[in-house]
């Protein structure tokens, strides 16, 4: 049965904090119950987003506390994501901890590419462009996301450090236009945009879609200058190159924010930062060869809504089932790109997931943690592409710095990378800087998942899939793992290897771990059937699509 609980999607942006609350509708678009927005200017200041200022943090905390109160009134589940301002701040962990402690909201920092993916999803929810080649642009306060696609899956996803606040702080401080600043700003933008524009134009697009407050503000100003009143909404309206250039010229003709009071369609809160956004959009039009832009009211938070509602519908069938289709496909694509032996990686991961399920009554972790385990298991050996020696460390680096893993937050990628890093050699220790930087609950999570993965790898030591299934039971003060061999295969080496690797799991579970061979209980069940449902995942050396 569908989970009909409302969802509150919160976007902690560089300029504003937004929230949309909606509930799922069978066969239709989610029903929006409430929308809220507060300008907090998290990313503004002279540090180029390296540090969140105290007063900005206080404004964000007040907004998030109010949003939490509203979400609770609707009985909504809260999902909060943060973008470039928090992503780049050196004090982001302190900010996240204060938000959690003072408001009860867990803010997840998402990578730029994941931000772009969710924006694409949200933009298409409001502008039906998925059936034709299209470009989606989102100009935020600290970054601009660019996506090119011919359907619902993007072909090009980029996030560049160009935003209306970042550019305004650097080239137009206080919103004041000094001599030469506009051309300096354009040159700076071109240095970032030119390579991405070449890629986008090479793929090609028939329609361009724009979302975000900056683009909507410029579209509203253009519509107002046509002699009409300021439009109530710019949803699905179009701004062409000529209209944009006329609007940008009107902005640039007013060197001081106070001079822009007479610009119809421009909110007072944007008078000081509109210059950076106007120059940026103008340059994007030129570099991308755009003639017009359709305005979408859907963006990151709508993408978060659709993504989370979609995850709710995924049924937890047996087998390598924990990861959603998008996550799984991106993980497998990354593994194949590094020539990973997926036959072994999938079976070792399968063993680890079975043990996760079988010991769940002991460790109490949920499906979200099993998703991290599955991703880490499928990717644990990709570091061999760099070198066999210390390949677990190389695996950490490749996972943590990949821009190809879709559907994961920055925090989740860190945990996946650490679980892969600890699949062999030294166990996690507090003297390891990256492990020490985790919250206590996440350190426990890494130890548990890495312990399960080590045993899973041991149970496929000979790469023969000699172990068919595993079961775990608590007897007295010991956890006994019953190992069921595949027909006619000896598993002595697998048992020896699993025992040798079980120390970390025993410590994580708080019980000694023993292994026993059990008799086959019948034909393979649900988990083996799941392997048949995803046969392409088991083709070694297959190329990513």
């Amino acid at each position: 049965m569908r989970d009909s609980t409302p969802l509150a999607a919160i976007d902690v942006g560089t300029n504003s904090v937004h929230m949309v609350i909606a509930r799922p509708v069978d066969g239709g678009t989610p029903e929006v119950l409430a929308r809220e927005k507060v300008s907090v200017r998290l990313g503004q200041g002279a540090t180029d987003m390296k540090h969140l200022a105290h007063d900005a943090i206080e404004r964000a905390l007040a907004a998030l506390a109010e949003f939490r109160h509203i979400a609770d009134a609707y009985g909504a589940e809260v999902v909060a994501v943060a973008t470039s301002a928090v992503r780049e701040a050196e004090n982001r962990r302190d900010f996240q901890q204060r938000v959690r402690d003072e408001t009860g909201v867990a803010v997840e920092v998402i990578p730029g590419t994941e931000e772009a993916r969710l924006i694409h999803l949200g933009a298409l929810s409001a502008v039906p462009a998925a059936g034709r080649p299209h470009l989606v642009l989102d100009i935020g306060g600290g970054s601009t996301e660019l996506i090119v696609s011919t359907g619902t899956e993007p072909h090009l996803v980029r996030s560049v450090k160009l935003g209306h606040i970042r550019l305004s702080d650097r080239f137009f401080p206080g919103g004041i236009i000094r001599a030469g600043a506009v051309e300096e700003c354009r040159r700076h933008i071109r240095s970032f945009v030119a390579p991405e524009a070449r890629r986008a134009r090479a793929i090609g697009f028939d329609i361009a879609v724009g979302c975000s407050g900056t683009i909507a503000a410029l579209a509203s100003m253009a519509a107002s200058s046509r002699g009409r009143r300021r439009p109530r909404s710019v949803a699905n309206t179009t701004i062409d190159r000529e209209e944009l250039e006329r609007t940008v010229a009107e902005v640039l003709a007013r060197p001081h924010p106070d001079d822009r009071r007479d610009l119809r369609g421009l909110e007072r809160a944007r008078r000081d930062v509109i210059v950076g956004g106007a120059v940026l959009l103008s340059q994007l039009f030129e570099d991308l060869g755009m003639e017009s832009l359709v305005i979408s009211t859907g963006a990151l938070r709508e993408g978060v809504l659709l993504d989370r509602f979609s995850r709710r519908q995924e049924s937890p069938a047996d087998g390598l089932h924990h990861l959603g289709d998008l996550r799984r496909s991106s993980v497998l694509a990354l593994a194949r790109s590094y020539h990973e032996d997926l036959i072994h990686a999938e079976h070792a991961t399968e063993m680890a997931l079975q043990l996760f399920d079988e010991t769940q009554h002991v460790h109490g972790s949920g499906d979200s943690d099993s998703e991290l385990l599955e991703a880490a298991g499928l990717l644990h050996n990709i570091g061999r592409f760099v070198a066999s020696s210390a390949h677990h460390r190389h695996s950490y680096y490749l996972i943590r710095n990949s821009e190809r893993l879709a559907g994961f937050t920055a925090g989740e990628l860190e945990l996946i990378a650490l679980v892969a890093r600890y699949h062999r050699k030294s166990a996690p220790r507090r003297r390891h800087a990256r492990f020490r930087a985790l919250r206590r609950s996440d350190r426990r999570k890494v130890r548990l998942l890495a312990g399960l993965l080590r045993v899973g790898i041991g149970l496929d030591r000979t790469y023969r899939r000699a172990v068919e299934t595993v079961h775990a039971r608590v007897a007295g003060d010991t956890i006994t793992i019953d190992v069921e061999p595949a027909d006619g295969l000896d598993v002595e080496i697998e048992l020896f290897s699993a025992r040798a690797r079980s120390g970390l799991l025993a410590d994580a579970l708080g019980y000694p771990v023993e292994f026993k061979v059990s008799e086959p209980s019948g034909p393979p069940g649900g988990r083996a059937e799941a392997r048949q449902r995803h046969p392409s995942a088991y083709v070694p050396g297959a190329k990513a699509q």
Side-chain angles (χ1 to χ4, degrees):
M1 184 176 179
R2 175 192 286 269
D3 183 351
S4 60
T5 304
L7 185 70
I10 299 176
D11 166 12
V12 183
T14 302
N15 185 45
S16 306
V17 180
H18 295 259
M19 179 176 71
V20 58
I21 302 176
R23 60 184 170 205
V25 175
D26 285 329
T29 302
E31 178 189 359
V32 174
L33 305 175
R35 290 184 183 275
E36 300 291 336
K37 171 188 170 183
V38 176
S39 177
V40 296
R41 296 284 177 95
L42 262 179
Q44 194 165 38
T47 62
D48 194 27
M49 303 194 185
K50 297 299 182 185
H51 190 84
L52 300 175
H54 174 74
D55 56 343
I57 290 175
E58 295 300 324
R59 291 193 295 269
L61 284 168
L64 289 167
E66 179 62 20
F67 285 5
R68 181 59 193 252
H69 179 73
I70 296 170
D72 287 347
Y74 282 95
E77 174 191 356
V78 176
V79 178
V81 298
T83 55
S84 59
V86 180
R87 186 163 60 228
E88 297 178 37
E90 295 170 352
N91 59 336
R92 62 184 176 278
R93 292 186 184 277
D94 293 338
F95 171 73
Q96 288 175 283
Q97 191 62 52
R98 280 199 65 188
V99 172
R100 183 188 294 271
D101 292 345
E102 297 181 31
T103 72
V105 174
V107 175
E108 289 284 359
V109 179
I110 56 176
T113 50
E114 173 64 3
E115 180 183 354
R117 182 188 73 83
L118 292 170
I119 286 169
H120 180 242
L121 188 62
L124 294 190
S125 71
V127 174
R132 54 198 291 204
H134 59 271
L135 163 75
V136 173
L137 286 175
D138 183 291
I139 295 177
S143 66
T144 291
E145 279 61 50
L146 182 153
I147 309 99
V148 181
S149 176
T150 55
T152 57
E153 293 299 321
H155 299 307
L156 176 69
V157 178
R158 291 291 186 269
S159 178
V160 292
K161 292 183 178 181
L162 297 170
H164 65 273
I165 287 182
R166 192 192 295 269
L167 291 173
S168 294
D169 279 353
R170 179 167 182 169
F171 297 100
F172 314 105
I176 300 172
I177 306 173
R178 61 177 176 79
V182 173
E183 187 51 40
E184 288 178 22
C185 184
R186 286 190 182 277
R187 285 198 298 268
H188 178 76
I189 293 167
R190 281 195 293 267
S191 70
F192 281 84
V193 170
E196 310 305 344
R198 284 194 296 270
R199 295 186 182 99
R201 295 176 78 163
I203 296 170
F205 53 90
D206 294 340
I207 181 175
V209 179
C211 45
S212 77
T214 293
I215 292 176
L218 290 165
S220 178
M221 293 164 65
S224 298
S225 69
R226 296 175 195 144
R228 299 196 303 266
R229 294 179 179 178
R230 177 181 176 181
R232 294 182 62 184
S233 172
V234 293
N236 288 281
T237 62
T238 299
I239 180 171
D240 62 31
R241 184 192 287 258
E242 183 179 340
E243 287 180 314
L244 175 65
E245 291 309 318
R246 186 167 56 247
T247 302
V248 172
E250 290 179 355
V251 172
L252 299 183
R254 294 162 171 79
H256 194 279
D258 289 343
D259 301 332
R260 299 171 201 138
R261 287 179 295 183
D262 65 336
L263 288 176
R264 287 188 296 171
L266 179 62
E267 299 173 351
R268 179 177 181 177
R270 290 189 180 275
R271 289 176 188 166
D272 59 335
V273 293
I274 193 62
V275 183
V279 175
L280 175 54
L281 185 58
S282 171
Q283 195 62 46
L284 287 168
F285 259 71
E286 180 178 326
D287 290 348
L288 289 162
M290 296 159 49
E291 293 300 326
S292 62
L293 189 67
V294 180
I295 312 304
S296 172
T297 53
L300 177 59
R301 49 205 168 275
E302 287 77 17
V304 171
L305 280 175
L306 293 170
D307 187 63
R308 293 306 175 103
F309 284 148
S310 176
R311 290 192 202 180
R312 285 183 183 179
Q313 295 179 47
E314 293 169 359
S315 73
D318 286 334
L320 290 176
H321 62 280
H322 299 77
L323 285 175
D325 288 341
L326 173 69
R327 289 183 168 196
R328 182 187 296 111
S329 63
S330 70
V331 166
L332 291 174
L334 184 65
R336 289 170 181 148
S337 72
Y338 290 114
H339 307 296
E340 175 62 283
D341 178 359
L342 282 172
I343 292 180
H344 168 65
E346 295 248 14
H347 193 63
T349 303
E350 170 74 4
M351 295 295 97
L353 287 171
Q354 287 188 25
L355 285 173
F356 179 96
D357 292 344
E358 290 285 323
T359 58
Q360 194 165 25
H361 63 290
V362 178
H363 58 69
S365 296
D367 282 348
S368 60
D369 293 337
S370 69
E371 292 181 349
L372 306 182
L373 172 59
E374 183 174 348
L378 295 173
L379 297 172
H380 74 274
N381 265 342
I382 63 173
R384 289 185 182 275
F385 184 84
V386 179
S388 292
S389 175
H391 71 267
H392 55 298
R393 296 178 186 271
H394 300 313
S395 293
Y396 170 88
Y397 180 85
L398 293 176
I399 294 169
R400 189 64 188 88
N401 293 283
S402 173
E403 293 188 347
R404 299 175 58 183
L405 293 174
F408 298 100
T409 67
E412 288 172 331
L413 288 176
E414 177 70 11
L415 295 179
I416 291 166
L418 283 171
V419 172
R421 180 256 184 271
Y422 289 117
H423 83 268
R424 65 191 289 267
K425 297 292 186 178
S426 171
R429 302 186 188 284
R430 289 293 296 272
R431 60 185 172 84
H432 299 161
R434 294 186 181 94
F435 181 71
R436 184 174 63 248
L438 298 176
R439 296 193 301 265
R440 179 181 298 178
S441 60
D442 285 339
R443 291 198 295 268
R444 176 186 177 277
K445 192 176 299 183
V446 168
R447 292 179 62 82
L448 170 67
L449 301 184
L452 290 164
L453 182 56
R454 288 184 179 213
V455 173
I457 293 168
L459 290 172
D460 195 39
R461 182 67 181 85
T462 61
Y463 285 51
R464 298 177 302 151
R465 297 188 169 214
V467 176
E468 185 68 57
T469 59
V470 293
H471 300 283
R473 51 192 168 86
V474 178
D477 61 353
T478 300
I479 291 181
T480 299
I481 297 175
D482 295 312
V483 175
E484 184 176 310
D487 289 345
L489 294 181
D490 179 79
V491 294
E492 195 59 37
I493 294 176
E494 281 74 17
L495 285 177
F496 177 82
S497 181
R499 288 190 186 106
R501 294 167 177 262
S502 65
L504 179 58
L505 178 61
D507 288 344
L509 294 176
Y511 288 90
V513 175
E514 294 182 350
F515 294 84
K516 291 180 62 178
V517 178
S518 62
E519 294 299 321
S521 58
R527 292 185 181 276
E529 291 168 6
R531 290 196 287 269
Q532 296 301 316
R533 288 197 293 273
H534 301 285
S536 62
Y538 292 84
V539 180
K543 292 182 179 179
Q545 299 298 312

